Amino acid sequence: MLVPRDFLSYSADGLRALLESWGEPAYRARQIREWAWQRGASDYAEMTNLPAALRERLAAEAPLQRAMVAERRVASDGARKYLLEFADGVRVETVGIPDDKGSGTLSSNDKVPDPLSSPSPPTRLTVCVSSQAGCALGCVFCATGRAGLTRSLGAGEIAEQVRIVAADFERAATNVVVMGQGEPFANYDAVLGALRLLNDPQALGIGARHITVSTSGIISGIERLAEEPEQFRLAVSLHAATQELRDRLMPGLRKQPLDKLRQALANYRERSRRRVSLEYVLLRDVNDHDSDLQALADFARAIGAHINLLPYNDTATDGMAAENAARTQQAADFLRNVGIETTIRRSRGAEIAAACGQLANAS
Ligand code: SAH
Ligand code: SF4
C-alpha cells in the first residue's frame, strides 16, 4: 500500500531519486525545487509548468505540507523568534537576526567570521535553525537539553525554517547558523542534506562559507564534515576545557573525551584547511577562573581555533549565573593576551528569549 511521505522529508537527492523512479526527466526535480524553495509555492497546483498528472501524483505521494508559524515574536533590536509547527504537530524554534544597524567594517578574510557578532553588510539576515525538536544530550545549562529529544528533523524541515524566516523578512537569508535546538551531528545526514539545500543555487543559494554548524563535540560528525567538499563552517561548543568540568556541564558528551575531540579538530583543520570556532558560555565561578581560561587557550592554540565567548542566558539552573560585562571583558583580555583571537558575542533578542542557541521551550 502506498504510504505518502511529505515533501519536506526529502533531501535534494531523495527527490531526484523519487522522480527518476517515476520515469520523470531529470529537470523536473529542479523545477519542483525552484517552486518549493525559491517561489515559496504552498501547493503543487501552483507549479504550472509541471504536467497535471505529475502534480496529482506528487500531491498524493509526496504531499507539500509547509511548516506553520504557530507563534512569532519581535524583539526591540529587530530579532524575530518563531515557533514553527510541522505537519505532525512537532514544534521547533527558529530565530531571524537582521543586520546590525551602525555596524563597522567587514572583518578581514583571515579571521573566522562569527555570523552572530561580526560586523555586517547592510542587508544581512542570519537565520538560526533547529536540527532536532529537543536534544538528548542534556547539557545542564541548556533549556533544550532539559526537555529531552522529541524527534530529529528532516533535511527539508531544517531548510524550511530558513525559507519561512526569509519570506517573513521579505529578503533573502544571507547567513545560516545551525545553533538552535538539537545536536546537528546526532542527525548528520539530514543536517548535511539541509546544508546542501541551503547552498544549492536552485534552492536557497546561500554560500557555504556563510553556513555554520555548531556541534557539542560529536567526534564522528566532525570527522565526516572534514571530508565534505563544501566550505561549511564548524563551531564547537566547548564550555569547559578540562574533562571533569566538561563531564559535569555536558554529561551527554562523556563518551567524546576532550583529548579525542582535540585530535579530531586538529585533523579537521588539517584536512579541510578551515578554522574552527570554539563556543564558550561564561558561567560565573564555574568555568571562568584563570586556570579554566588557560586550559581553554591551550585547547584553542593546539587546533588554531578562534574563541567566541557567549553570554549565559539564564535557564534557572542551580549554580549557574551569567558573567557581568566587566568580567566578560576581563576573560576576553586574558585570552587575547595569551594570543588567542577572541570575540564576545552579544545576546540578540534576549528579551524575547530569542538568543540563538538557547531557545527556550517554554514559549
Ligand atoms: N547542540 C549544538 C547546537 C545548538 S546550541 C551545540 O550544543 O553546539 C548553540 C549554542 O548555544 C551552543 O554553544 C550551546 O552550548 C549554547 N547554549 C546552550 N544553552 C545556553 C545558555 N543557557 N546560554 C548561552 N548559551 C547556551
Ligand atoms: Fe543539546 Fe546543544 Fe543544548 Fe547541549 S547545548 S543540550 S548539545 S542543544
Side-chain angles (χ1 to χ4, degrees):
M1 196 189 77
L2 169 75
V3 181
R5 181 181 145 189
D6 80 290
F7 172 83
L8 285 182
S9 72
Y10 284 95
S11 63
D13 286 344
L15 185 67
R16 267 191 291 269
L18 176 74
L19 289 161
E20 203 179 289
S21 75
W22 292 355
E24 290 292 335
Y27 62 86
R28 290 285 182 228
R30 174 172 53 79
Q31 289 177 317
I32 295 166
R33 294 213 323 285
E34 275 174 8
W35 277 108
W37 295 111
Q38 297 183 345
R39 304 202 213 180
S42 55
D43 196 315
Y44 288 115
E46 294 171 42
M47 304 185 186
T48 45
N49 55 353
L50 303 184
L54 175 59
R55 283 186 262 152
E56 275 163 33
R57 185 163 189 191
L58 282 163
E61 299 188 32
L64 183 57
Q65 290 166 312
R66 293 305 203 179
M68 276 177 9
V69 179
E71 208 179 299
R72 173 182 180 275
R73 284 196 254 166
V74 181
S76 56
D77 66 4
R80 299 180 193 173
K81 183 179 84 163
Y82 306 81
L83 188 61
L84 302 183
E85 184 174 316
F86 296 108
D88 64 353
V90 163
R91 292 175 163 200
V92 296
E93 291 187 359
T94 305
V95 182
I97 305 160
D99 56 279
D100 189 2
K101 284 184 205 75
S103 58
T105 52
L106 279 168
S107 54
S108 63
N109 284 339
D110 59 332
K111 293 194 172 159
V112 177
D114 174 18
L116 292 178
S117 56
S118 56
S120 36
T123 54
R124 178 131 117 183
L125 174 62
T126 299
V127 183
C128 175
V129 299
S130 293
S131 57
Q132 299 182 302
C135 181
L137 292 176
C139 303
V140 295
F141 47 82
C142 175
T144 304
R146 201 168 305 155
L149 178 69
T150 304
R151 72 164 169 85
S152 285
L153 302 187
E157 290 177 327
I158 299 167
E160 172 79 338
Q161 297 169 53
V162 178
R163 190 193 64 78
I164 288 177
V165 174
D168 188 50
F169 275 89
E170 297 182 325
R171 57 177 150 124
T174 56
N175 296 70
V176 173
V177 292
V178 187
M179 293 188 182
Q181 292 164 322
E183 167 46 50
F185 290 166
N187 186 23
Y188 188 93
D189 291 332
V191 167
L192 233 284
L195 301 192
R196 293 202 162 125
L197 270 172
L198 296 170
N199 185 222
D200 183 350
Q202 289 165 8
L204 287 141
I206 300 168
R209 287 161 186 272
H210 297 148
I211 300 175
T212 303
V213 44
S214 173
T215 179
S216 55
I218 306 287
I219 290 162
S220 60
I222 295 167
E223 289 170 346
R224 289 180 70 182
L225 194 70
E227 304 300 325
E228 306 293 355
E230 296 92 345
Q231 298 283 307
F232 299 128
R233 292 193 178 272
L234 177 66
V236 175
S237 301
L238 200 66
H239 308 322
T242 55
Q243 195 60 53
E244 191 218 352
L245 182 56
R246 200 165 199 265
D247 286 351
R248 193 148 63 80
L249 296 179
M250 304 174 76
L253 278 300
R254 284 192 181 133
K255 295 206 172 114
Q256 318 276 330
L258 282 171
D259 53 345
K260 292 218 171 83
L261 177 62
R262 195 191 316 90
Q263 190 55 50
L265 291 172
N267 292 343
Y268 174 90
R269 179 86 209 268
E270 181 78 22
R271 299 280 309 172
S272 70
R273 308 252 147 232
R274 283 167 267 161
R275 282 186 81 188
V276 172
S277 299
L278 297 176
E279 313 280 303
Y280 198 89
V281 59
L282 281 173
L283 301 165
R284 194 196 306 155
D285 299 331
V286 174
N287 66 354
D288 64 345
H289 308 96
D290 283 0
S291 58
D292 297 312
L293 298 175
Q294 187 59 56
L296 170 60
D298 293 344
F299 192 100
R301 187 175 299 106
I303 56 164
H306 168 112
I307 295 173
N308 287 320
L309 294 177
L310 275 54
Y312 169 62
N313 293 299
D314 199 349
T315 52
T317 306
D318 281 352
M320 305 281 155
E323 204 77 277
N324 62 29
R327 285 179 68 165
T328 301
Q329 191 57 52
Q330 271 171 23
D333 291 344
F334 180 102
L335 295 166
R336 288 176 187 145
N337 284 338
V338 295
I340 307 296
E341 201 182 287
T342 303
T343 305
I344 299 173
R345 183 180 289 167
R346 285 167 313 114
S347 183
R348 297 288 306 265
E351 80 266 32
I352 55 164
C356 180
Q358 191 262 312
L359 303 176
N361 296 300
S363 315

